[in-house]
Amino acid sequence: APGAKELLQVHRGAVTVDVEDRSVILGAGDTIEFPGDVAHAYANHEKRPAHFSLAVFEPGARAGSTS
């Protein structure tokens, strides 16, 4: 959705976050915020599992809304 924002925090392991033409490797305790309305992806390129939290903020969405 236009104007959306995403906030990702890594709890365990490592997560690679690609946002447009930028790539960042995050470790446990690291956080990144980025626009949710641009090309982006998350990946775990390690052999160990990764655990992370993701929050998505959509302007105009009501609390409890699923769309």
Side-chain angles (χ1 to χ4, degrees):
K5 298 227 181 272
E6 297 195 19
L7 177 66
L8 183 144
Q9 181 179 33
V10 179
H11 302 286
R12 186 179 315 150
V15 176
T16 300
V17 179
D18 297 321
V19 180
E20 293 188 306
D21 60 353
R22 181 176 164 223
S23 184
V24 178
I25 300 172
L26 303 174
D30 291 340
T31 303
I32 188 170
E33 178 184 345
F34 55 91
D37 57 355
V38 299
H40 61 279
Y42 336 106
N44 175 9
H45 297 293
E46 306 293 321
K47 293 184 182 205
R48 296 180 308 157
H51 298 256
F52 65 92
S53 298
L54 177 68
V56 179
F57 302 95
E58 291 189 22
R62 296 184 325 224
S65 176
T66 58
S67 58

